[in-house]
Amino acid sequence: MTSYFGIDWLAMCLTFTAIYLLGNKSRKGFVVMMLGNLCWTAIGIWAHSYAMIIANLGFFSMNVRAFVRWAPPPSSAA
């Protein structure tokens, strides 16, 4: 059995926390999810799983895009 020194547990907790935050319409969920994606990517590197690496880097980039696009609208000073 391979040990990932708790990174797998951290990634799982970050992913669930991010889903909870996004369900509550909190933009912070994207940041938490990006941290989870980086943890999953590290595990993919460790496990030599190119699919896991590519998928999580793709998810990471989608979360960056969502974080930027979900910015609060600019306030219009009248």
Side-chain angles (χ1 to χ4, degrees), residues 53-69:
I53 296 165
I54 293 167
N56 279 285
L57 291 176
F59 296 147
F60 181 88
S61 65
M62 286 185 236
N63 281 302
V64 170
R65 178 185 180 273
F67 180 82
V68 170
R69 291 185 55 93

Side-chain angles (χ1 to χ4, degrees), residues 2 4 7-9 11-12 15 33-63:
T2 304
Y4 298 111
I7 297 173
D8 49 348
W9 287 96
M12 181 194 65
T15 302
M33 187 68 83
M34 286 185 271
L35 294 172
N37 294 140
L38 293 175
C39 289
W40 286 120
T41 300
I43 293 169
I45 291 168
W46 212 320
H48 305 287
S49 173
Y50 295 113
M52 185 181 283
I53 296 165
I54 293 167
N56 279 285
L57 291 176
F59 296 147
F60 181 88
S61 65
M62 286 185 236
N63 281 302

